[in-house]
Amino acid sequence: FTDIGRFLFSGEYDYVFVVSAETLLNEVQLDFPVWAYDTGHDITFMDQDFSEVGFAQHAVLFKPTNFTKKFLERQYAYRNGYWTMGDTGPLMETILANLGEEAQSGGRPGYNKKCEHHSKLSFPSAVMPRLNPGLYAQQVRKHGACFFSELERLAGGYGNRLSKHIGFSPTYKFINGRALVPDETDILSSVRVLPWANCIALMKDRWPRW
């Protein structure tokens, strides 16, 4: 995310859509209008259910707003240390911090950084797995578990997360008793699940249209 500011706040773009380097983009979706993900939030993440390795940043839709600028500045502040999964740990902490402030403004308990210490490393994340793979895996799992627990407390469960500034686009939805996968429309309700950018090869093999 470190270079997107000059594009995002240049005045030339309404949105900047960021995908991680390992993300799979299928040719059939290359012309998908990314603004279709916009449901009125400053930042929209491709949401995911619980994962022990944390919250992926495979695809994020940014709008050039003051909230987005402060969000990125808060995340960039983590550049002075070492964190699990490189920039993923700081992203997860930044999400919780912003959701916590929103909760506090509504009279609910905020976020007290209870998960952050699980993400803090003594060495870069590229080095830690070689120095002490067991400890690193344990920290990643603990941080992921703590993050999703706090995420649910602050914003709600998967598929039902609510926030004023941060949107969560679910990767699947349960409609009429079955799970709709991305790019699928339920005939009875006309509900459609948006395509989802991801880095998991299994998904591409099982659902080619993703």
Side-chain angles (χ1 to χ4, degrees):
F1 295 142
T2 54
D3 292 326
I4 70 171
R6 61 193 178 99
F7 298 104
L8 187 58
F9 302 107
S10 67
E12 298 182 43
Y13 306 99
D14 295 319
Y15 304 92
V16 170
F17 188 59
V18 177
V19 295
S20 56
E22 76 274 29
T23 298
L24 297 173
L25 291 176
N26 291 342
E27 184 177 358
V28 69
Q29 300 294 1
L30 286 179
D31 62 348
F32 180 80
V34 295
W35 53 85
Y37 288 111
D38 180 12
T39 56
H41 300 89
D42 300 83
I43 303 172
T44 301
F45 291 95
M46 305 301 100
D47 198 8
Q48 64 185 74
D49 208 341
F50 173 81
S51 170
E52 66 175 12
V53 297
F55 190 84
Q57 50 187 346
H58 299 148
V60 188
L61 183 67
F62 292 96
K63 292 167 65 175
T65 67
N66 288 332
F67 175 87
T68 300
K69 185 176 182 179
K70 292 178 181 178
F71 183 99
L72 292 173
E73 289 174 349
R74 173 174 260 162
Q75 183 180 356
Y76 293 166
Y78 282 91
R79 287 179 293 180
N80 293 325
Y82 302 127
W83 308 93
T84 52
M85 309 294 286
D87 54 358
T88 300
L91 172 72
M92 292 160 65
E93 288 300 308
T94 303
I95 291 173
L96 293 180
N98 282 279
L99 291 176
E101 289 178 352
E102 185 176 333
Q104 283 185 308
S105 68
R108 297 183 291 120
Y111 175 61
N112 63 0
K113 294 191 176 184
K114 64 179 292 185
C115 305
E116 187 180 72
H117 71 283
H118 293 306
S119 184
K120 180 70 174 175
L121 301 175
S122 301
F123 298 93
S125 60
V127 176
M128 274 293 290
R130 295 196 293 271
L131 294 178
N132 195 330
L135 175 61
Y136 180 72
Q138 183 182 59
Q139 284 193 241
V140 169
R141 289 195 299 268
K142 286 185 175 180
H143 189 234
C146 186
F147 169 81
F148 279 103
S149 176
E150 286 294 283
L151 178 63
E152 184 166 339
R153 179 180 68 83
L154 294 167
Y158 174 82
N160 298 291
R161 307 199 203 281
L162 296 175
S163 168
K164 179 180 179 181
H165 296 286
I166 302 176
F168 297 92
S169 178
T171 56
Y172 64 87
K173 295 180 180 179
F174 282 100
I175 304 293
N176 294 324
R178 71 187 189 92
L180 262 66
V181 298
D183 210 24
E184 184 178 10
T185 302
D186 179 67
I187 298 176
L188 296 178
S189 65
S190 297
V191 170
R192 182 189 177 204
V193 180
L194 299 176
W196 184 53
N198 66 87
C199 71
I200 303 175
L202 172 64
M203 295 180 179
K204 183 178 181 182
D205 293 338
R206 187 170 180 182
W207 295 290
R209 291 189 300 168
W210 283 30

